């Protein structure tokens, strides 16, 4: 069964303290892996799409990487405004439907 | 200039009532979706429409009925609301195809009392 697991559920960091969020997936053929950011009271906001193992993408303090089993979202020197829930989703080759993880709630303390 | 807009943002209603949530996208996308996000933050797809035709209909009670008058609009009507229907409902849109990004609306917070 296609599945996405994100860890940790919650992560508290001090401002400037770099870390990584994990998204493990089991899917019969990967079309794409998506990272979104969701602020409280808002809809998910698109960050990155990764299509194949070894691919990396960066945006400001965020860098997403992909292997055949998992993706990492690396956050370098985070700021309080990076606080949000980060969601991962995969699109399987069997259909176009996205399978979502439960998210990691990231809190950056000043 | 909102890309995907949905109304209302907040809705509090009594059990047994019927309510609708409206959604419009101005991105020119050919596919629209309704997602439900529960208290644990899991996003579950409910419906997907491509060019006004239903292409995904997950296991959703038939009290939920989507309607797409044109490819820029996808409304969600809910009959006989139950307590368990309380959740956040997100409308979204994308182009059909592999790896295409889905863009979400701001969400509609439904509380059934």
């Amino acid at each position: 069964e296609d599945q996405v697991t994100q860890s940790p559920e919650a992560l508290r960091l001090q401002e400037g303290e770099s870390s990584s969020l994990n998204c493990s997936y089991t899917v019969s053929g990967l079309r794409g892996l998506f990272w979104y950011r969701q602020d409280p009271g808002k809809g998910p906001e698109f960050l990155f799409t990764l299509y194949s193992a070894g691919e990396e993408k960066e945006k400001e303090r965020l860098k997403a990487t992909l292997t055949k089993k998992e993706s990492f979202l690396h956050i370098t020197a985070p700021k309080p405004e990076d606080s949000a829930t980060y969601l991962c989703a995969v699109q399987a080759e069997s259909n176009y439907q996205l399978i979502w993880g439960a998210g990691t709630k990231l809190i950056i303390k000043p | 200039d909102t890309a995907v807009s949905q109304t209302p943002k907040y809705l509090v209603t009594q059990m047994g009532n019927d309510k609708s949530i409206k959604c419009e996208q101005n991105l020119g996308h050919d596919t629209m979706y309704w997602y439900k996000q529960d208290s644990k933050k899991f996003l579950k797809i409910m419906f997907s429409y491509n060019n006004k035709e239903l292409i995904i209909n997950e296991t959703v009670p038939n009290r939920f009925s989507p309607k797409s008058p044109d490819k820029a609009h996808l409304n969600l009507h809910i009959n006989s609301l139950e307590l368990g229907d309380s959740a956040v409902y997100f409308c979204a849109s994308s182009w059909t195809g592999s790896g295409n990004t889905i863009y979400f609306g701001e969400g509609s917070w439904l509380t059934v009392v």
Side-chain angles (χ1 to χ4, degrees):
Chain A
E1 183 186 347
D2 298 336
Q3 188 169 278
V4 176
T5 304
Q6 291 188 246
S7 61
E9 285 188 20
L11 181 61
R12 286 175 170 78
L13 300 172
Q14 287 294 135
E15 184 173 359
E17 181 184 358
S18 302
S19 189
S20 298
L21 312 183
N22 178 264
C23 172
S24 297
Y25 64 92
T26 306
V27 66
S28 50
L30 180 71
R31 286 188 185 272
L33 185 142
F34 301 79
W35 282 100
Y36 284 80
R37 168 191 172 130
Q38 186 174 20
D39 292 297
K42 302 282 188 182
E45 177 188 345
F46 171 72
L47 292 173
F48 305 108
T49 308
L50 301 167
Y51 295 102
S52 57
E55 190 175 358
E56 297 182 354
K57 287 194 176 170
E58 286 187 68
K59 180 180 179 180
E60 295 180 358
R61 294 176 292 282
L62 299 176
K63 179 180 175 181
T65 62
L66 181 65
T67 72
K68 288 187 178 179
K69 293 183 180 180
E70 59 192 348
S71 176
F72 290 95
L73 185 65
H74 306 276
I75 302 177
T76 303
K79 298 182 178 181
E81 53 262 40
D82 295 322
S83 297
T85 295
Y86 290 84
L87 298 168
C88 169
V90 299
Q91 187 181 49
E93 281 186 351
S94 54
N95 60 55
Y96 292 119
Q97 191 176 330
L98 290 186
I99 303 155
W100 293 84
T104 293
K105 184 174 182 179
L106 178 66
I107 299 169
I108 308 298
K109 294 180 283 187
Chain B
D1 269 45
T2 305
V4 181
S5 59
Q6 51 184 110
T7 56
K9 187 169 176 76
Y10 299 103
L11 185 55
V12 181
T13 188
Q14 291 189 326
M15 282 175 53
N17 283 351
D18 302 339
K19 291 294 177 186
S20 292
I21 307 172
K22 296 185 176 182
C23 178
E24 176 181 4
Q25 56 96 2
N26 62 6
L27 297 167
H29 289 157
D30 59 359
T31 303
M32 294 186 72
Y33 311 82
W34 277 109
Y35 278 86
K36 180 179 180 180
Q37 189 172 44
D38 60 27
S39 57
K40 294 192 175 183
K41 296 293 186 183
F42 264 113
L43 273 166
K44 293 184 180 177
I45 190 162
M46 301 173 68
F47 303 101
S48 172
Y49 266 75
N50 176 254
N51 283 320
K52 294 168 43 179
E53 290 189 22
L54 181 64
I55 57 173
I56 295 176
N57 182 357
E58 292 299 305
T59 309
V60 175
N62 58 14
R63 298 180 294 102
F64 290 79
S65 53
K67 284 203 169 74
S68 182
D70 55 59
K71 71 175 190 177
H73 295 83
L74 181 62
N75 303 323
L76 182 65
H77 188 75
I78 315 169
N79 289 327
S80 303
L81 278 155
E82 299 177 358
L83 292 176
D85 297 332
S86 296
V88 185
Y89 294 86
F90 287 102
C91 178
S93 72
S94 74
W95 290 110
T96 303
S98 178
N100 285 325
T101 302
I102 294 179
Y103 294 89
F104 287 83
E106 296 278 273
S108 294
W109 268 250
L110 173 65
T111 303
V112 183
V113 296

